[in-house]
């Protein structure tokens, strides 16, 4: 029997680096979206943006502050913040969804706190030009499983 819930706000991006057949270093960013579908983005070692391989017109951009944004064809921008690294694996980093912003500037913001940097604890909305409004809190068991919303 499964424990807890899978939240569609648990979108993440992982980075895998490899050498292609031409001997070039290629960064493969893998975005796991809200329904679990994985989308691949291949960037050369010096590239900072490209569109997805699926032809869905999603543009990934590596920001100078270390965050990653994905912008879709409707100009909705998702911001991902690096929350975890695992130097012992082939995965060089993991970024978690921290903000969704529409073309006007309205945003949904995800807050992460506590011992586990991969679990959101609060969801807020921030209307363009306005202050943040808390919408829900998420509580977890000590085991890390979602207890209640």
């Amino acid at each position: 029997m499964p424990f807890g819930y899978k939240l569609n706000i648990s979108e993440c991006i992982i980075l895998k680096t490899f050498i292609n057949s031409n001997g070039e270093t290629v960064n493969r960013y893998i975005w796991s979206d809200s329904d679990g579908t994985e989308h691949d983005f291949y960037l050369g070692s010096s590239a900072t943006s490209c569109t997805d391989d699926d032809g869905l017109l999603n543009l990934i951009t590596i920001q100078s502050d270390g965050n990653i944004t994905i912008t879709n064809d409707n100009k909705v921008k998702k911001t991902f913040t690096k929350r975890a690294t695992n130097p012992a694996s082939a995965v060089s980093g993991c970024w978690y969804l921290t903000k969704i912003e529409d073309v006007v500037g309205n945003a949904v913001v995800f807050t992460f706190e506590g011992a586990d940097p991969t679990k959101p604890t609060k969801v807020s909305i921030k209307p363009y030009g306005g202050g943040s409004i808390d919408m829900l809190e998420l509580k977890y068991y000590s085991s890390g499983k979602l207890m209640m919303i």
Side-chain angles (χ1 to χ4, degrees):
M1 177 197 259
F3 295 98
Y5 303 92
K6 181 190 183 312
L7 302 173
N8 64 353
I9 62 173
S10 298
E11 293 187 33
C12 67
I13 298 172
I14 62 170
L15 166 62
K16 290 190 175 185
T17 302
F18 63 94
I19 307 297
N20 68 12
S21 59
N22 297 331
E24 303 163 329
T25 300
V26 177
N27 294 319
R28 177 182 178 210
Y29 289 88
I30 305 166
W31 167 39
S32 178
D33 69 12
S34 59
D35 68 3
T37 303
E38 292 185 348
H39 305 271
D40 289 330
F41 300 85
Y42 292 92
L43 279 80
S45 59
S46 62
T48 58
S49 66
C50 74
T51 55
D52 63 340
D53 285 354
D54 301 325
L56 299 175
L57 303 178
N58 292 309
L59 174 71
I60 191 170
T61 305
I62 312 306
Q63 304 295 322
S64 60
D65 62 3
N67 288 340
I68 296 175
T69 60
I70 294 179
T71 307
N72 68 17
D73 58 342
N74 293 322
K75 305 299 182 217
V76 172
K77 180 170 64 173
K78 294 183 177 189
T79 301
F80 296 80
T81 302
K82 192 169 190 176
R83 306 288 304 169
T85 57
N86 185 357
S89 76
V91 176
S92 302
C94 194
W95 291 257
Y96 287 86
L97 181 62
T98 52
K99 184 169 146 184
I100 303 171
E101 187 173 357
D102 69 14
V103 69
V104 178
N106 301 306
V108 177
V109 179
F110 305 97
T111 303
F112 293 80
E113 297 174 4
D116 187 342
T118 64
K119 293 186 175 16
T121 56
K122 185 176 11 170
V123 179
S124 307
I125 59 171
K126 188 172 187 310
Y128 175 72
S132 183
I133 303 165
D134 294 344
M135 295 302 294
L136 59 94
E137 280 189 49
L138 297 100
K139 303 286 185 187
Y140 298 90
Y141 291 106
S142 60
S143 66
K145 305 294 182 192
L146 183 61
M147 178 172 47
M148 71 175 154
I149 298 176

